[in-house]
Coordinates of all heavy atoms in Angstrom, one line a residue:
M1 N -51.1 -22.2 45.6 CA -50.6 -21.1 44.6 C -51.6 -19.9 44.6 O -51.1 -18.9 44.6 CB -50.5 -21.9 43.3 CG -49.9 -20.9 42.2 SD -48.1 -21.2 42.2 CE -47.8 -21.0 40.6
S2 N -52.8 -20.2 44.6 CA -53.7 -19.3 44.6 C -53.7 -18.3 45.8 O -53.9 -17.1 45.7 CB -55.2 -19.7 44.4 OG -56.1 -18.7 44.4
Q3 N -53.5 -18.9 47.0 CA -53.4 -18.1 48.2 C -52.1 -17.3 48.2 O -52.2 -16.2 48.7 CB -53.4 -19.2 49.3 CG -54.0 -18.7 50.6 CD -54.2 -19.7 51.6 OE1 -53.8 -20.8 51.5 NE2 -55.1 -19.4 52.7
D4 N -51.0 -17.8 47.7 CA -49.8 -17.0 47.6 C -49.9 -15.8 46.7 O -49.5 -14.7 46.9 CB -48.7 -17.9 47.0 CG -48.2 -19.0 48.0 OD1 -48.4 -18.8 49.2 OD2 -47.6 -20.0 47.5
T5 N -50.6 -16.1 45.5 CA -50.9 -14.8 44.6 C -51.8 -13.8 45.3 O -51.5 -12.6 45.1 CB -51.6 -15.3 43.4 OG1 -50.9 -16.4 42.8 CG2 -51.7 -14.3 42.3
L6 N -52.9 -14.3 46.1 CA -53.7 -13.4 46.7 C -53.0 -12.6 47.8 O -53.1 -11.4 47.9 CB -54.9 -14.2 47.4 CG -55.9 -13.3 48.0 CD1 -56.6 -12.3 47.0 CD2 -56.9 -14.2 48.6
A7 N -52.1 -13.3 48.5 CA -51.4 -12.6 49.6 C -50.4 -11.6 48.9 O -50.1 -10.5 49.5 CB -50.5 -13.7 50.3
M8 N -49.7 -11.8 47.8 CA -48.9 -10.9 47.2 C -49.6 -9.8 46.7 O -49.2 -8.6 46.8 CB -48.2 -11.6 45.9 CG -47.1 -10.8 45.4 SD -46.1 -11.6 44.2 CE -47.1 -11.9 42.8
L9 N -50.8 -9.9 46.1 CA -51.6 -8.8 45.7 C -52.1 -7.9 46.8 O -52.0 -6.7 46.7 CB -52.9 -9.4 44.9 CG -52.7 -9.8 43.5 CD1 -53.9 -10.4 42.9 CD2 -52.0 -8.8 42.6
V10 N -52.4 -8.6 47.9 CA -52.8 -7.8 49.2 C -51.6 -7.0 49.7 O -51.8 -5.8 50.1 CB -53.4 -8.7 50.2 CG1 -53.6 -8.0 51.5 CG2 -54.7 -9.3 49.7
S11 N -50.4 -7.6 49.6 CA -49.2 -6.7 50.1 C -48.9 -5.6 49.2 O -48.3 -4.6 49.7 CB -48.1 -7.7 50.2 OG -47.6 -8.1 48.9
F12 N -49.2 -5.7 47.8 CA -48.9 -4.5 47.0 C -50.1 -3.5 46.9 O -49.9 -2.4 46.5 CB -48.7 -5.1 45.6 CG -47.3 -5.6 45.4 CD1 -47.2 -7.0 44.9 CD2 -46.2 -4.8 45.5 CE1 -46.0 -7.4 44.6 CE2 -45.0 -5.3 45.4 CZ -44.8 -6.7 44.9
L13 N -51.2 -3.8 47.5 CA -52.4 -2.9 47.4 C -52.0 -1.6 48.1 O -52.4 -0.5 47.5 CB -53.6 -3.6 48.1 CG -54.8 -2.8 48.0 CD1 -55.3 -2.6 46.4 CD2 -55.9 -3.6 48.6
P14 N -51.4 -1.5 49.3 CA -51.1 -0.3 49.9 C -50.2 0.7 49.1 O -50.4 1.8 49.0 CB -50.4 -0.6 51.3 CG -50.9 -2.0 51.6 CD -51.2 -2.7 50.2
L15 N -49.3 0.0 48.4 CA -48.3 0.7 47.5 C -49.0 1.4 46.4 O -48.8 2.5 45.9 CB -47.2 -0.2 47.0 CG -46.1 0.4 46.2 CD1 -45.3 1.5 47.1 CD2 -45.1 -0.6 45.7
V16 N -49.9 0.6 45.8 CA -50.8 1.1 44.6 C -51.6 2.2 45.2 O -51.8 3.3 44.4 CB -51.5 0.0 44.0 CG1 -52.4 0.5 42.9 CG2 -50.5 -1.1 43.3
L17 N -52.3 2.0 46.2 CA -53.1 3.2 46.7 C -52.3 4.4 47.1 O -52.8 5.5 46.7 CB -53.9 2.7 47.9 CG -55.0 1.7 47.8 CD1 -55.5 1.2 49.1 CD2 -56.0 2.3 46.9
I18 N -51.1 4.3 47.5 CA -50.3 5.5 47.8 C -50.0 6.1 46.5 O -50.1 7.4 46.4 CB -49.0 5.1 48.6 CG1 -49.3 4.7 50.0 CG2 -48.0 6.2 48.6 CD1 -48.3 4.1 50.8
F19 N -49.6 5.4 45.4 CA -49.3 6.0 44.1 C -50.6 6.8 43.6 O -50.4 7.9 43.1 CB -48.9 5.0 43.3 CG -48.6 5.5 41.8 CD1 -47.4 6.3 41.6 CD2 -49.4 5.3 40.7 CE1 -47.1 6.8 40.4 CE2 -49.2 5.9 39.5 CZ -48.0 6.6 39.3
V20 N -51.7 6.2 43.7 CA -53.0 6.8 43.2 C -53.2 8.1 44.0 O -53.6 9.2 43.4 CB -54.2 5.8 43.3 CG1 -55.4 6.5 43.0 CG2 -54.0 4.7 42.3
V21 N -53.2 8.1 45.2 CA -53.3 9.2 46.1 C -52.3 10.4 45.8 O -52.7 11.5 45.7 CB -53.4 9.0 47.5 CG1 -53.3 10.1 48.4 CG2 -54.5 8.1 47.9
M22 N -51.1 10.0 45.6 CA -50.1 11.0 45.3 C -50.4 11.5 43.9 O -50.1 12.7 43.7 CB -48.7 10.4 45.2 CG -48.2 9.8 46.7 SD -48.1 11.3 47.8 CE -46.5 11.9 47.4
Y23 N -50.8 10.9 42.9 CA -51.2 11.3 41.5 C -52.2 12.3 41.7 O -52.1 13.5 41.1 CB -51.7 10.2 40.7 CG -52.1 10.7 39.4 CD1 -51.2 11.0 38.4 CD2 -53.5 10.8 39.1 CE1 -51.6 11.5 37.2 CE2 -53.9 11.3 37.8 CZ -53.0 11.7 36.9 OH -53.4 12.2 35.7
F24 N -53.3 12.1 42.4 CA -54.3 13.1 42.6 C -54.0 14.2 43.4 O -54.7 15.3 43.3 CB -55.8 12.3 43.0 CG -56.4 11.6 42.0 CD1 -56.3 10.2 41.9 CD2 -57.1 12.3 41.0 CE1 -57.0 9.5 40.9 CE2 -57.7 11.5 39.9 CZ -57.6 10.2 39.8
I25 N -53.2 14.1 44.4 CA -52.9 15.3 45.2 C -51.7 16.1 44.8 O -51.7 17.3 44.8 CB -52.4 14.7 46.6 CG1 -53.7 14.1 47.2 CG2 -51.8 15.9 47.5 CD1 -53.4 13.6 48.7
L26 N -50.7 15.5 44.1 CA -49.6 16.2 43.7 C -49.5 16.5 42.1 O -49.3 17.6 41.6 CB -48.3 15.6 44.2 CG -48.1 15.5 45.6 CD1 -46.9 14.7 46.0 CD2 -48.0 16.9 46.2
I27 N -49.5 15.3 41.3 CA -49.2 15.4 39.9 C -50.2 16.1 39.2 O -49.9 17.0 38.3 CB -48.8 14.0 39.4 CG1 -47.7 13.4 40.2 CG2 -48.6 14.0 37.9 CD1 -47.4 11.9 39.9
R28 N -51.5 15.7 39.4 CA -52.5 16.3 38.5 C -52.8 17.7 38.7 O -52.8 18.4 37.7 CB -53.9 15.5 38.8 CG -54.9 15.8 37.9 CD -56.1 14.8 38.2 NE -57.2 15.0 37.3 CZ -58.4 15.3 37.7 NH1 -58.7 15.2 39.1 NH2 -59.4 15.5 36.9
P29 N -52.8 18.3 40.0 CA -52.9 19.7 40.1 C -51.7 20.5 39.5 O -51.8 21.6 38.8 CB -52.9 20.0 41.6 CG -53.4 18.7 42.1 CD -52.9 17.6 41.3
Q30 N -50.5 20.0 39.6 CA -49.3 20.6 39.0 C -49.4 20.7 37.5 O -49.0 21.7 36.9 CB -48.0 19.8 39.4 CG -46.7 20.5 38.9 CD -46.6 22.0 39.6 OE1 -46.9 22.2 40.7 NE2 -46.1 22.9 38.8
K31 N -49.9 19.6 36.9 CA -50.0 19.7 35.4 C -51.1 20.7 35.0 O -50.9 21.4 34.0 CB -50.5 18.2 34.9 CG -49.4 17.3 34.8 CD -49.9 15.9 34.3 CE -48.7 14.9 34.2 NZ -49.1 13.7 33.5
K32 N -52.2 20.8 35.8 CA -53.1 21.8 35.5 C -52.6 23.2 35.6 O -52.9 24.0 34.8 CB -54.4 21.6 36.4 CG -55.5 22.6 36.2 CD -56.7 22.2 37.1 CE -58.0 23.1 36.7 NZ -59.0 22.9 37.7
K33 N -51.8 23.4 36.6 CA -51.3 24.8 36.9 C -50.2 25.1 35.8 O -50.2 26.2 35.2 CB -50.5 24.8 38.2 CG -49.9 26.1 38.6 CD -49.2 26.1 40.0 CE -48.5 27.4 40.3 NZ -47.8 27.3 41.4
D34 N -49.4 24.1 35.3 CA -48.5 24.3 34.2 C -49.3 24.7 33.0 O -48.8 25.5 32.2 CB -47.6 23.0 34.0 CG -46.6 22.8 35.1 OD1 -46.4 23.8 35.9 OD2 -46.1 21.7 35.3
K35 N -50.4 24.0 32.7 CA -51.1 24.3 31.5 C -51.7 25.8 31.5 O -51.6 26.4 30.5 CB -52.3 23.3 31.4 CG -53.0 23.3 30.1 CD -54.2 22.3 30.1 CE -53.8 21.1 29.4 NZ -54.9 20.1 29.2
E36 N -52.2 26.2 32.7 CA -52.7 27.6 32.8 C -51.6 28.6 32.7 O -51.8 29.6 32.1 CB -53.4 27.6 34.2 CG -54.7 27.0 34.3 CD -55.2 27.0 35.7 OE1 -54.6 27.7 36.5 OE2 -56.3 26.5 35.9
T37 N -50.4 28.3 33.1 CA -49.2 29.2 33.0 C -48.8 29.3 31.6 O -48.6 30.5 31.1 CB -48.1 28.7 33.9 OG1 -48.5 28.6 35.3 CG2 -46.9 29.6 33.8
Q38 N -48.7 28.2 30.8 CA -48.4 28.2 29.4 C -49.4 29.0 28.6 O -49.1 29.7 27.7 CB -48.3 26.8 29.0 CG -47.7 26.7 27.5 CD -46.3 27.3 27.4 OE1 -45.5 27.1 28.4 NE2 -46.0 28.0 26.4
K39 N -50.7 28.9 29.0 CA -51.8 29.6 28.3 C -51.6 31.1 28.5 O -51.7 31.9 27.7 CB -53.1 29.1 28.8 CG -54.2 29.8 28.1 CD -55.6 29.3 28.6 CE -56.8 30.1 28.0 NZ -58.0 29.7 28.5
M40 N -51.2 31.6 29.8 CA -51.0 32.9 30.2 C -49.9 33.4 29.3 O -50.0 34.5 28.7 CB -50.8 33.0 31.6 CG -50.4 34.4 32.0 SD -48.7 35.0 32.1 CE -48.0 33.8 33.0
R41 N -48.8 32.7 29.2 CA -47.6 33.1 28.5 C -47.8 33.3 27.1 O -47.3 34.1 26.4 CB -46.4 32.2 28.7 CG -45.8 32.3 30.1 CD -44.7 31.2 30.4 NE -44.3 31.5 31.8 CZ -43.8 30.5 32.4 NH1 -43.6 29.3 31.9 NH2 -43.4 30.7 33.7
N42 N -48.7 32.4 26.4 CA -49.0 32.5 25.0 C -50.0 33.7 24.7 O -50.0 34.0 23.5 CB -49.6 31.2 24.6 CG -48.6 30.0 24.5 OD1 -47.4 30.2 24.4 ND2 -49.1 28.8 24.7
N43 N -50.7 34.1 25.7 CA -51.7 35.1 25.4 C -51.2 36.5 25.8 O -52.0 37.4 25.9 CB -53.0 34.8 26.2 CG -53.7 33.7 25.6 OD1 -53.6 33.3 24.5 ND2 -54.3 32.9 26.5
I44 N -50.0 36.7 26.0 CA -49.4 38.1 26.3 C -49.5 38.9 25.2 O -49.2 38.5 24.0 CB -47.9 37.9 26.9 CG1 -47.9 37.2 28.3 CG2 -47.3 39.3 26.9 CD1 -46.7 37.1 28.8
Q45 N -49.9 40.2 25.4 CA -50.0 41.2 24.4 C -49.1 42.3 24.6 O -48.6 42.6 25.7 CB -51.5 41.6 24.2 CG -52.5 40.6 23.9 CD -53.9 40.9 24.1 OE1 -54.2 42.2 24.4 NE2 -54.8 40.1 23.8
V46 N -48.8 43.1 23.5 CA -48.0 44.5 23.7 C -48.8 45.3 24.7 O -50.0 45.5 24.4 CB -47.7 45.1 22.4 CG1 -47.1 46.3 22.5 CG2 -46.9 44.1 21.5
G47 N -48.1 46.0 25.6 CA -48.8 46.8 26.5 C -49.1 46.2 27.8 O -49.4 46.9 28.8
D48 N -49.0 44.8 27.9 CA -49.3 44.2 29.2 C -48.2 44.4 30.2 O -47.0 44.5 29.8 CB -49.4 42.7 29.0 CG -50.7 42.3 28.4 OD1 -51.6 43.1 28.1 OD2 -50.8 41.0 28.0
E49 N -48.6 44.5 31.5 CA -47.6 44.6 32.6 C -47.3 43.2 33.1 O -48.2 42.5 33.5 CB -48.1 45.5 33.7 CG -47.1 45.7 34.9 CD -47.5 46.6 35.9 OE1 -48.7 46.4 36.4 OE2 -46.7 47.4 36.4
V50 N -46.1 42.8 32.9 CA -45.6 41.4 33.4 C -44.6 41.5 34.5 O -43.8 42.4 34.7 CB -45.1 40.6 32.2 CG1 -46.2 40.4 31.2 CG2 -43.8 41.3 31.6
I51 N -44.6 40.4 35.2 CA -43.6 40.2 36.2 C -42.7 38.9 35.9 O -43.2 37.9 35.6 CB -44.1 40.0 37.7 CG1 -44.9 41.3 38.1 CG2 -43.1 39.8 38.8 CD1 -45.7 41.1 39.4
T52 N -41.4 39.1 35.8 CA -40.6 37.9 35.5 C -40.2 37.1 36.7 O -40.6 37.4 37.9 CB -39.2 38.4 35.0 OG1 -38.5 39.0 36.0 CG2 -39.4 39.3 33.8
I53 N -39.7 36.0 36.5 CA -39.3 35.0 37.6 C -38.4 35.7 38.5 O -38.3 35.5 39.8 CB -38.8 33.8 37.0 CG1 -39.9 32.9 36.3 CG2 -38.2 32.9 38.1 CD1 -39.5 31.6 35.5
G54 N -37.5 36.5 38.1 CA -36.6 37.3 38.8 C -37.1 38.5 39.5 O -36.3 39.1 40.3
G55 N -38.4 38.7 39.3 CA -39.0 39.8 40.0 C -38.9 41.3 39.3 O -39.3 42.2 39.9
I56 N -38.5 41.2 38.1 CA -38.5 42.4 37.3 C -39.8 42.8 36.8 O -40.6 41.9 36.1 CB -37.6 42.4 36.1 CG1 -36.1 42.1 36.6 CG2 -37.6 43.6 35.2 CD1 -35.1 41.8 35.7
I57 N -40.4 43.9 36.9 CA -41.6 44.4 36.5 C -41.5 45.3 35.3 O -40.7 46.2 35.3 CB -42.4 45.2 37.6 CG1 -42.6 44.2 38.8 CG2 -43.8 45.6 37.2 CD1 -43.1 45.0 40.0
G58 N -42.2 45.1 34.2 CA -42.1 45.9 33.1 C -43.3 45.7 32.1 O -44.2 44.8 32.2
L59 N -43.3 46.7 31.2 CA -44.4 46.7 30.1 C -43.8 46.0 28.9 O -42.7 46.2 28.4 CB -44.8 48.1 29.7 CG -45.7 48.8 30.8 CD1 -45.9 50.2 30.4 CD2 -46.9 48.1 31.2
V60 N -44.7 45.1 28.3 CA -44.3 44.5 27.0 C -44.2 45.5 25.9 O -45.3 46.1 25.6 CB -45.2 43.3 26.8 CG1 -44.9 42.6 25.4 CG2 -45.3 42.2 27.9
V61 N -43.1 45.5 25.2 CA -42.9 46.4 24.1 C -43.1 45.7 22.8 O -43.6 46.2 21.9 CB -41.6 47.2 24.2 CG1 -41.3 48.0 22.9 CG2 -41.5 47.9 25.5
S62 N -42.5 44.5 22.7 CA -42.6 43.7 21.4 C -42.6 42.2 21.8 O -42.0 41.8 22.8 CB -41.5 44.1 20.5 OG -40.3 43.6 20.9
L63 N -43.1 41.5 20.9 CA -43.2 40.0 21.1 C -42.7 39.4 19.8 O -42.9 39.8 18.7 CB -44.7 39.6 21.3 CG -45.6 40.1 22.4 CD1 -46.9 39.8 22.3 CD2 -44.9 39.4 23.6
K64 N -41.8 38.4 20.1 CA -41.4 37.5 19.0 C -41.8 36.0 19.4 O -42.5 35.8 20.4 CB -39.8 37.7 18.8 CG -39.6 39.1 18.4 CD -38.2 39.2 17.7 CE -38.0 40.5 17.1 NZ -36.8 41.1 17.2
E65 N -41.3 35.1 18.6 CA -41.7 33.7 18.9 C -41.5 33.2 20.3 O -42.5 32.9 21.0 CB -41.1 32.7 17.9 CG -41.5 31.4 17.9 CD -40.9 30.6 16.8 OE1 -40.9 31.1 15.7 OE2 -40.7 29.3 17.0
D66 N -40.3 33.4 20.8 CA -40.0 33.0 22.2 C -39.3 34.0 23.0 O -38.9 33.9 24.1 CB -39.3 31.6 22.4 CG -37.9 31.7 21.7 OD1 -37.7 32.6 20.9 OD2 -37.1 30.8 22.0
N67 N -39.1 35.2 22.4 CA -38.5 36.3 23.1 C -39.6 37.5 23.4 O -40.4 37.7 22.5 CB -37.4 37.0 22.3 CG -36.3 36.0 22.2 OD1 -35.9 35.2 23.2 ND2 -35.5 36.0 21.1
V68 N -39.3 38.2 24.4 CA -40.3 39.3 24.8 C -39.3 40.5 25.2 O -38.4 40.3 25.9 CB -41.2 38.9 25.9 CG1 -42.1 40.1 26.4 CG2 -42.1 37.7 25.6
V69 N -39.7 41.7 24.7 CA -38.8 42.9 25.1 C -39.8 43.6 26.0 O -40.9 43.9 25.6 CB -38.5 43.7 23.9 CG1 -37.8 45.0 24.3 CG2 -37.6 42.9 23.0
I70 N -39.3 43.8 27.3 CA -40.1 44.6 28.2 C -39.4 45.9 28.5 O -38.1 46.0 28.4 CB -40.3 43.8 29.5 CG1 -39.0 43.4 30.3 CG2 -41.1 42.6 29.3 CD1 -39.2 42.8 31.6
E71 N -40.2 46.9 28.9 CA -39.5 48.2 29.2 C -39.8 48.5 30.7 O -40.9 48.4 31.2 CB -40.2 49.3 28.5 CG -39.7 50.7 28.7 CD -40.4 51.7 27.8 OE1 -41.5 52.1 28.2 OE2 -40.0 51.9 26.6
T72 N -38.7 48.6 31.6 CA -38.9 48.9 33.0 C -39.0 50.4 33.3 O -38.8 51.2 32.4 CB -37.6 48.3 33.7 OG1 -36.5 49.2 33.2 CG2 -37.3 47.0 33.4
A73 N -39.6 50.7 34.5 CA -39.8 52.0 34.8 C -38.5 52.8 35.0 O -37.4 52.2 34.9 CB -40.7 52.1 36.1
G74 N -38.7 54.0 35.4 CA -37.4 54.8 35.8 C -36.8 55.3 34.5 O -37.3 56.2 33.9
E75 N -35.7 54.8 34.1 CA -35.0 55.3 32.9 C -35.4 54.6 31.6 O -34.9 54.7 30.5 CB -33.6 55.1 33.0 CG -33.0 55.9 34.3 CD -31.5 55.7 34.3 OE1 -30.8 55.2 33.5 OE2 -31.0 56.1 35.5
R76 N -36.6 53.9 31.6 CA -37.2 53.2 30.4 C -36.2 52.2 29.8 O -36.0 52.3 28.6 CB -37.8 54.2 29.5 CG -38.9 55.0 30.0 CD -39.4 55.9 29.0 NE -40.8 56.4 28.9 CZ -41.9 55.9 29.2 NH1 -41.9 54.8 29.8 NH2 -43.1 56.6 29.0
N77 N -35.4 51.4 30.6 CA -34.6 50.5 30.1 C -35.4 49.4 29.4 O -36.4 49.0 29.9 CB -33.7 49.9 31.1 CG -32.7 51.0 31.7 OD1 -32.3 51.9 31.0 ND2 -32.5 50.9 33.0
K78 N -34.9 48.9 28.3 CA -35.5 47.7 27.6 C -34.7 46.5 27.9 O -33.4 46.5 27.8 CB -35.7 48.1 26.1 CG -36.7 49.2 25.9 CD -36.8 49.4 24.4 CE -37.9 50.5 24.3 NZ -37.9 51.0 23.0
I79 N -35.4 45.4 28.2 CA -34.7 44.1 28.5 C -35.4 43.0 27.6 O -36.6 43.0 27.6 CB -34.9 43.7 30.0 CG1 -34.3 44.9 30.9 CG2 -34.2 42.4 30.2 CD1 -34.7 44.7 32.4
R80 N -34.6 42.2 27.0 CA -35.1 41.1 26.1 C -35.0 39.9 27.1 O -33.9 39.5 27.6 CB -34.3 41.0 24.9 CG -34.8 39.9 24.0 CD -34.0 39.7 22.7 NE -32.7 39.4 23.1 CZ -31.8 39.0 22.2 NH1 -32.1 39.0 20.9 NH2 -30.7 38.6 22.6
I81 N -36.1 39.2 27.2 CA -36.2 38.0 28.0 C -36.9 36.9 27.2 O -37.5 37.1 26.3 CB -37.0 38.3 29.4 CG1 -38.5 38.7 29.1 CG2 -36.4 39.3 30.2 CD1 -39.4 38.8 30.2
K82 N -36.8 35.6 27.8 CA -37.4 34.6 27.1 C -38.9 34.5 27.6 O -39.1 34.9 28.8 CB -36.8 33.2 27.5 CG -35.5 33.1 26.8 CD -35.6 32.9 25.5 CE -34.2 32.6 24.8 NZ -34.3 32.3 23.3
R83 N -39.8 34.0 26.9 CA -41.2 33.9 27.2 C -41.4 33.1 28.5 O -42.2 33.4 29.3 CB -42.0 33.4 26.1 CG -43.5 33.7 26.1 CD -44.2 33.1 25.0 NE -44.0 34.0 23.8 CZ -44.9 34.9 23.4 NH1 -46.0 35.0 24.0 NH2 -44.7 35.6 22.4
W84 N -40.6 32.0 28.6 CA -40.7 31.1 29.8 C -40.3 31.8 31.1 O -40.7 31.2 32.2 CB -40.0 29.9 29.7 CG -38.4 29.9 29.4 CD1 -37.8 30.0 28.2 CD2 -37.4 30.2 30.3 NE1 -36.5 30.1 28.5 CE2 -36.2 30.3 29.8 CE3 -37.6 30.3 31.8 CZ2 -35.1 30.5 30.5 CZ3 -36.3 30.5 32.5 CH2 -35.1 30.6 31.8
A85 N -39.7 33.0 31.1 CA -39.2 33.6 32.3 C -40.3 34.6 32.8 O -40.0 35.2 33.8 CB -37.9 34.4 31.9
I86 N -41.5 34.6 32.2 CA -42.5 35.4 32.7 C -43.3 34.6 33.7 O -43.8 33.6 33.5 CB -43.5 35.9 31.5 CG1 -42.7 36.8 30.6 CG2 -44.6 36.7 32.1 CD1 -43.4 37.2 29.3
Q87 N -43.5 35.2 34.9 CA -44.2 34.6 36.0 C -45.6 34.8 36.0 O -46.5 34.0 36.1 CB -43.5 35.0 37.3 CG -44.1 34.3 38.6 CD -43.5 34.6 39.8 OE1 -42.5 35.4 39.9 NE2 -44.0 34.1 40.9
S88 N -46.0 36.1 35.8 CA -47.4 36.5 35.8 C -47.6 37.8 34.9 O -46.7 38.5 34.6 CB -47.9 36.8 37.3 OG -47.2 37.9 37.7
N89 N -48.9 37.8 34.5 CA -49.3 38.9 33.7 C -50.3 39.7 34.6 O -51.3 39.2 35.0 CB -50.1 38.5 32.5 CG -50.5 39.6 31.5 OD1 -50.4 40.8 31.9 ND2 -51.0 39.2 30.4
E90 N -50.0 40.9 35.0 CA -50.7 41.8 35.9 C -51.8 42.6 35.1 O -52.7 43.1 35.8 CB -49.9 42.8 36.7 CG -48.8 42.0 37.5 CD -49.3 41.2 38.5 OE1 -50.3 41.5 39.2 OE2 -48.9 40.0 38.6
T91 N -52.0 42.5 33.8 CA -52.9 43.3 33.1 C -54.2 42.3 33.0 O -54.2 41.2 32.7 CB -52.4 43.6 31.7 OG1 -51.2 44.3 31.8 CG2 -53.5 44.4 31.0
I92 N -55.3 43.0 33.3 CA -56.6 42.3 33.2 C -57.2 42.5 31.8 O -57.3 43.7 31.5 CB -57.5 42.7 34.3 CG1 -56.9 42.4 35.7 CG2 -58.9 42.0 34.2 CD1 -57.6 42.9 36.8
H93 N -57.5 41.5 31.1 CA -58.1 41.6 29.7 C -59.6 41.3 29.7 O -59.9 40.4 30.5 CB -57.4 40.7 28.7 CG -56.0 41.1 28.5 ND1 -55.7 42.2 27.7 CD2 -54.9 40.5 28.8 CE1 -54.4 42.3 27.7 NE2 -53.8 41.2 28.3
D94 N -60.4 42.1 29.1 CA -61.8 41.7 28.9 C -61.9 40.7 27.7 O -61.6 41.1 26.5 CB -62.6 43.0 28.6 CG -62.7 44.0 29.7 OD1 -62.6 43.5 30.8 OD2 -62.8 45.1 29.4
D95 N -62.1 39.5 28.1 CA -62.2 38.4 27.1 C -63.7 38.5 26.5 O -64.7 38.2 27.1 CB -62.0 37.0 27.7 CG -60.5 36.9 28.1 OD1 -59.7 37.5 27.5 OD2 -60.3 36.0 29.1
A96 N -63.7 38.6 25.1 CA -64.9 38.6 24.4 C -65.5 37.2 24.3 O -66.7 37.0 24.3 CB -64.8 39.2 23.1
D97 N -64.6 36.2 24.4 CA -65.0 34.9 24.4 C -65.8 34.4 25.6 O -66.7 33.5 25.6 CB -63.9 33.8 24.1 CG -63.1 34.1 22.9 OD1 -63.7 34.9 22.0 OD2 -61.9 33.7 22.7
A98 N -65.4 34.9 26.7 CA -66.0 34.5 28.1 C -67.4 35.0 28.3 O -68.0 35.6 27.9 CB -65.2 34.9 29.2

């Protein structure tokens, strides 16, 4: 009985090792990236230049809880978007905390 249990544990060991490796290679870095993206979206300020997921570039005109109004170049059109639709913030801020 002990030998059967040991053989079963040895047969599951590669599967467990694959799961652990996948966690450290894929899942953990993605969670870290998601956390940084959420922090960036929460720290957006009026006047920042942002790029949306759809590729629209604009300046932030106003902020609400989960809505952002951006002004695009050209004819100065204003577009209301959701905060989660912001891909990146191109404005560099001088952080007093850092």
Side-chain angles (χ1 to χ4, degrees):
M1 185 91 148
S2 176
Q3 212 167 12
D4 291 339
T5 306
L6 183 62
M8 190 169 69
L9 287 175
V10 169
S11 68
F12 281 121
L13 187 63
L15 186 63
V16 171
L17 286 174
I18 289 172
F19 180 74
V20 169
V21 168
M22 293 300 277
Y23 175 78
F24 282 106
I25 291 177
L26 297 174
I27 298 170
R28 192 168 176 235
Q30 184 64 39
K31 283 185 180 181
K32 185 177 180 182
K33 184 179 176 186
D34 289 346
K35 188 182 263 186
E36 290 173 359
T37 303
Q38 189 62 38
K39 182 179 175 186
M40 177 271 303
R41 288 176 180 153
N42 289 336
N43 292 331
I44 290 177
Q45 301 171 0
V46 173
D48 287 354
E49 183 179 44
V50 296
I51 300 175
T52 67
I53 292 173
I56 299 171
I57 301 171
L59 290 174
V60 176
V61 176
S62 72
L63 296 167
K64 295 200 173 143
E65 192 168 318
D66 64 339
N67 291 326
V68 177
V69 177
I70 62 172
E71 184 178 84
T72 61
E75 296 179 15
R76 294 182 154 327
N77 295 324
K78 291 183 180 163
I79 303 171
R80 185 176 63 168
I81 60 171
K82 291 290 187 181
R83 196 177 287 256
W84 58 261
I86 296 173
Q87 181 176 0
S88 65
N89 183 354
E90 299 299 311
T91 305
I92 299 173
H93 293 285
D94 293 332
D95 292 333
D97 302 343

